[in-house]
């Protein structure tokens, strides 16, 4: 079987798995300096966009396509390519279609989708471009642009003065913006797999408390499964998983998606913030704590052997811990060391100077012991 992968940056997460399963791999990439090109059986350097990858998929007569996009920008083009390849050429693409992608990539459309379906999300107020509207809101408040990821287009404004100054600076801008209620709570992510009408929600991942400084979760210690003091965690996590499945089914997500949540500890409420139908930054935590690697699941979907019942049956119940380390002296940050093994193991991943270590343990206490044995600084915890 021959599979086309689009995007080299995440290809090291699937290269060894594809090789183990006897799959022929073709990789397309627009950056000639990208890493991982040599890991594929064949690779093509292409222009930005999906036209050339689509032409290659047809010319190479591939059996399926797996887009490995960790950013939002190209996702609508990927969705359009998916519909054309599937409808005109019978080539499955392990990604979401146009409808789901249009909702996910626009935060305002996401809000409207959630409200329409009775799913709790923080209160928000849309601001028209160039408006002089006097806005009644509590502080701090979050200012957002409809598109953007990784914190881009997001500002947390502590006071009325900050809001007025920010709006004055945007007065001549034609970009849509909106204000969102700032919730003091816990940041959570959950990945959900969906293919051929079946969904498998994975594990809720703790990403730290919300902060007025807007510290990105990549710079925080993450833990899985989610455990909160004073909460029935088993029941709460099951409710989050059920909600993730509901969202995936209502949107018609395909492949993998990451759902971002703020859990209001005081009110015991789950608030959906964003839905990202692409590989998640929590995928290593998911793999550590459940034994399910979401990107491997995309390969299985493309290969026609994905079985949701089998995935559910083989879900493990380990603890996961992920720590930003900057740099860890190790030769294990490569594709041959991307899989967890046994009850206690660890991997290192990420670009130079921005590495992270993800640890699997029988329980959270054991993961911290492993971190200490690796001499990892835990002062940020």
């Amino acid at each position: 079987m021959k599979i086309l992968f689009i995007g080299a940056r995440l290809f090291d997460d699937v290269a060894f798995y594809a090789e183990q399963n006897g799959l022929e791999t073709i990789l397309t990439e627009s950056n000639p300096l990208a890493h991982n090109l040599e890991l594929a059986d064949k690779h093509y350097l292409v222009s930005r966009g999906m036209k050339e990858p689509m032409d290659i998929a047809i010319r190479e007569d591939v059996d399926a396509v797996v887009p490995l996009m960790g950013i939002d920008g190209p996702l609508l083009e990927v969705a359009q390519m998916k519909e054309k390849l599937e409808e005109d050429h019978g080539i499955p693409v392990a990604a979401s279609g146009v409808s789901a992608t249009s909702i996910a990539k626009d935060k305002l459309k996401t809000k409207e989708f959630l409200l329409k379906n009775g799913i709790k999300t923080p209160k928000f107020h849309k601001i028209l471009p160039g408006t002089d509207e006097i806005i009644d809101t509590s502080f701090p408040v979050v200012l957002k642009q409809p598109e953007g990821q990784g914190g881009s287009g997001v500002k947390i404004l502590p006071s009325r003065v900050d809001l007025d100054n920010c709006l004055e600076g945007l007065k001549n801008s034609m970009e849509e913006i909106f204000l969102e209620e700032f919730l003091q709570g816990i940041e959570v992510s959950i990945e959900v797999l969906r293919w051929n009408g079946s969904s498998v929600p994975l594990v809720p991942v703790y990403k730290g408390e919300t902060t007025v400084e807007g510290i990105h979760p990549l710079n925080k210690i993450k833990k899985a499964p989610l455990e909160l003091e004073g909460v029935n965690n088993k029941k709460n996590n099951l409710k989050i998983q059920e909600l993730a499945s509901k969202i995936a089914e209502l949107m018609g997500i395909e492949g993998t998606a990451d759902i971002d949540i703020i859990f209001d500890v005081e009110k015991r409420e789950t608030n959906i913030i964003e839905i990202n139908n692409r590989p998640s930054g929590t995928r290593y935590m998911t793999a550590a704590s459940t034994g399910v690697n979401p990107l491997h699941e995309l390969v299985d979907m493309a290969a026609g052997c994905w079985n949701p019942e089998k995935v559910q049956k083989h879900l493990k119940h380990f603890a996961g811990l992920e720590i930003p380390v900057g740099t860890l002296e190790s030769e294990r940050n490569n594709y041959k060391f991307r899989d967890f093994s046994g009850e206690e193991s660890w991997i290192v991943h990420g670009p130079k100077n921005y590495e992270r270590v993800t640890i699997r343990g029988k329980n959270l206490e054991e993961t911290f012991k492993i971190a200490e044995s690796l001499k990892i600084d835990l002062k940020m915890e």
Side-chain angles (χ1 to χ4, degrees):
M1 174 169 276
K2 189 190 299 184
I3 296 181
L4 174 69
F5 293 87
I6 302 176
R9 190 172 69 86
L10 306 184
F11 186 66
D12 56 345
D13 281 350
V14 298
F16 196 53
Y17 184 74
E19 181 183 323
Q20 287 176 313
N21 285 275
L23 301 173
E24 183 180 348
T25 58
I26 301 173
L27 178 63
T28 65
E29 170 59 47
S30 61
N31 178 7
L33 301 178
H35 297 290
N36 305 324
L37 297 175
E38 75 287 351
L39 300 182
D41 295 314
K42 184 190 291 187
H43 73 266
Y44 290 91
L45 292 174
V46 297
S47 304
R48 290 187 180 276
M50 292 301 121
K51 183 182 184 309
E52 289 181 44
M54 182 167 63
D55 291 344
I56 290 167
I58 296 166
R59 185 170 71 246
E60 287 278 359
D61 193 25
V62 301
D63 295 288
V65 176
V66 177
L68 295 174
M69 303 298 180
I71 57 175
D72 292 339
L75 292 182
L76 191 55
E77 281 188 83
V78 168
Q80 292 164 345
M81 176 193 68
K82 169 191 174 73
E83 296 194 352
K84 187 166 183 61
L85 283 178
E86 291 185 346
E87 292 172 11
D88 297 350
H89 302 277
I91 300 174
V93 179
S96 286
V98 171
S99 176
T101 301
S102 297
I103 295 169
K105 77 186 297 292
D106 185 312
K107 295 182 180 70
L108 272 172
K109 287 185 179 179
T110 301
K111 288 282 194 183
E112 291 161 2
F113 162 81
L114 294 169
L115 290 177
K116 178 183 175 182
N117 289 286
I119 297 169
K120 192 158 186 59
T121 186
K123 296 174 185 176
F124 72 103
H125 181 89
K126 184 176 176 180
I127 301 175
L128 297 174
T131 184
D132 287 323
E133 176 185 5
I134 297 173
I135 298 160
D136 182 22
T137 184
S138 58
F139 293 91
V141 68
V142 186
L143 183 144
K144 290 186 175 182
Q145 295 174 336
E147 295 192 17
Q149 69 179 80
S152 66
V154 176
K155 292 182 180 180
I156 299 176
L157 306 173
S159 69
R160 169 67 60 183
V161 171
D162 295 299
L163 173 60
D164 290 344
N165 289 340
C166 193
L167 292 179
E168 182 64 29
L170 293 168
K171 200 168 186 179
N172 297 321
S173 171
M174 295 308 293
E175 292 187 55
E176 285 188 319
I177 54 176
F178 65 99
L179 296 179
E180 183 179 80
E181 173 188 17
F182 176 84
L183 294 181
Q184 190 69 51
I186 303 297
E187 293 186 75
V188 179
S189 275
I190 180 169
E191 294 178 77
V192 59
L193 307 169
R194 188 170 185 272
W195 193 244
N196 291 334
S198 295
S199 300
V200 179
L202 298 171
V203 63
V205 176
Y206 168 93
K207 301 194 298 185
E209 296 184 9
T210 57
T211 62
V212 176
E213 296 76 21
I215 299 171
H216 194 276
L218 285 178
N219 298 317
K220 297 180 183 179
I221 289 178
K222 294 191 275 291
K223 306 171 193 174
L226 175 67
E227 292 186 359
L228 302 172
E229 189 175 343
V231 175
N232 182 329
N233 287 296
K234 186 174 181 180
K235 185 177 180 180
N236 186 59
N237 289 356
L238 180 60
K239 288 171 78 171
I240 291 174
Q241 289 173 318
E242 290 172 347
L243 182 56
S245 284
K246 177 182 177 180
I247 289 170
E249 287 157 14
L250 287 170
M251 279 183 65
I253 283 169
E254 290 189 283
T256 182
D258 165 67
I259 298 172
D260 290 339
I261 296 164
I262 291 179
F263 185 81
D264 187 328
V265 179
E266 186 178 325
K267 296 181 179 178
R268 298 292 190 264
E269 289 179 343
T270 298
N271 293 267
I272 305 300
I273 304 297
E274 292 183 15
I275 304 163
N276 305 297
N277 53 347
R278 53 173 168 75
S280 169
T282 62
R283 61 190 180 276
Y284 296 108
M285 284 291 286
T286 297
S289 53
T290 67
V292 174
N293 184 318
L295 297 194
H296 293 180
E297 300 303 309
L298 292 182
V299 176
D300 287 350
M301 291 171 188
C305 60
W306 191 70
N307 185 324
E309 289 79 16
K310 185 178 178 182
V311 176
Q312 287 275 19
K313 183 178 178 181
H314 288 93
L315 283 173
K316 307 297 183 186
H317 300 283
F318 296 112
L321 177 69
E322 186 167 293
I323 310 160
V325 294
T327 300
L328 183 75
E329 294 299 326
S330 170
E331 296 180 353
R332 295 174 63 167
N333 192 354
N334 69 72
Y335 81 106
K336 292 182 179 179
F337 296 94
R338 283 291 189 266
D339 290 336
F340 296 91
S341 60
E343 294 184 330
E344 297 180 357
S345 53
W346 60 276
I347 64 171
V348 57
H349 51 94
K352 186 178 180 181
N353 300 323
Y354 297 93
E355 291 181 341
R356 287 168 284 158
V357 171
T358 304
I359 300 168
R360 167 191 284 180
K362 290 177 286 187
N363 51 54
L364 198 57
E365 184 180 359
E366 293 302 316
T367 65
F368 277 95
K369 287 181 180 177
I370 295 170
E372 289 170 6
S373 73
L374 295 171
K375 297 182 170 44
I376 294 174
D377 184 5
L378 294 168
K379 285 188 292 186
M380 68 175 71
E381 176 55 16

